């Protein structure tokens, strides 16, 4: 079941990478995620997801970029603010949290994989993830990775069973 969650997180993350940062940007994004942001995101993830599903034309498998196109960036920012994501660039913060968390989950799952598989996937992670992750944000997210697991895993398990 955990493998299915990782696939879901990877799919969600892959869809958000392009939106989180300017396309083809090789500049490390600035640090913006606080510990409070990660905790609030974990606590509010289900509520945010449910609220976004309530908009016309929003479907379960849509990325945040797609949802923002449907409901508008200002409305997306309003929803995130309503659920406690603070400061400017709320969508960027949420994307960063998801990206860092997905990287953490993939690396955790790889720990039990054969070495040839780990090295190949690690190279892909370096290429796809690290160019878009600020190390300070990743460190902040990893501090609360177990809390994210506790809050998000039941949601993904429920989604898989539908």
């Amino acid at each position: 079941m955990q493998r299915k969650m990782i696939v879901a997180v990877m799919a969600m993350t892959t869809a958000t990478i392009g939106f989180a940062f300017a396309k083809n940007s090789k500049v490390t994004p600035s640090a913006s995620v606080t510990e409070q942001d990660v905790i609030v995101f974990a606590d509010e993830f289900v509520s945010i997801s449910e609220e976004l599903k309530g908009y016309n034309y929003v479907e379960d498998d849509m990325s945040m970029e797609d949802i923002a196109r449907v409901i508008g960036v200002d409305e997306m920012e309003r929803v995130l603010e309503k659920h406690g994501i603070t400061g400017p660039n709320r969508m960027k913060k949420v994307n960063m949290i998801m990206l860092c968390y997905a990287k953490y989950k993939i690396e955790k799952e790889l720990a039990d994989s054969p070495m040839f598989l780990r090295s190949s996937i690690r190279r892909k992670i370096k290429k796809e993830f690290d160019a878009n992750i600020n190390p300070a944000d990743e460190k902040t997210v990893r501090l609360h990775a177990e809390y994210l697991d506790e809050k998000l895993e039941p949601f993904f398990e429920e989604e898989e069973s539908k």
Side-chain angles (χ1 to χ4, degrees):
M1 214 173 260
Q2 187 173 4
R3 289 183 193 274
K4 288 180 184 177
M5 187 184 110
I6 289 170
V7 170
V9 170
M10 285 178 60
M12 176 176 61
T13 300
T14 301
T16 63
I17 288 175
F19 179 70
F21 310 103
K23 291 182 181 181
N24 299 321
S25 174
K26 298 298 179 199
V27 178
T28 302
S30 61
S32 62
V33 176
T34 66
E35 288 188 44
Q36 186 64 31
D37 290 329
V38 178
I39 292 167
V40 167
F41 173 78
D43 290 341
E44 293 294 318
F45 179 79
V46 173
S47 297
I48 292 168
S49 296
E50 292 303 318
E51 183 167 344
L52 292 174
K53 287 179 191 175
Y55 286 87
N56 290 333
Y57 309 110
V58 172
E59 299 175 17
D60 289 344
D61 61 349
M62 293 176 80
S63 69
M64 286 190 69
E65 178 183 26
D66 293 337
I67 295 171
R69 280 192 203 118
V70 170
I71 69 172
V73 173
D74 291 340
E75 184 65 9
M76 177 70 89
E77 290 283 330
R78 187 198 65 73
V79 168
L80 295 175
E81 180 180 32
K82 174 182 168 186
H83 290 279
I85 307 298
T86 61
N89 301 314
R90 290 172 190 88
M91 287 192 324
K92 183 177 178 180
K93 282 185 179 187
V94 168
N95 281 325
M96 181 62 74
I97 293 167
M98 291 189 315
L99 191 61
C100 293
Y101 180 62
K103 181 182 176 193
Y104 161 80
K105 292 299 287 181
I106 293 167
E107 288 175 348
K108 186 176 172 184
E109 187 67 27
L110 283 175
D112 296 331
S113 300
M115 181 54 106
F116 72 91
L117 183 61
R118 280 189 296 211
S119 62
S120 171
I121 294 176
R122 280 196 178 121
R123 280 192 301 275
K124 287 191 181 289
I125 289 172
K126 272 257 185 251
K127 182 179 179 185
E128 299 297 324
F129 284 83
D130 290 351
N132 294 306
I133 292 178
N134 181 291
D137 289 338
E138 183 176 9
K139 183 178 178 183
T140 301
V141 171
R142 284 180 183 262
L143 285 172
H144 300 285
E146 288 180 15
Y147 189 69
L148 285 161
D149 281 344
E150 177 185 320
K151 294 293 191 170
L152 273 55
E153 281 183 4
F155 174 81
F156 286 113
E157 289 171 1
E158 182 179 315
E159 290 292 310
E160 288 173 13
S161 67
K162 288 183 180 180

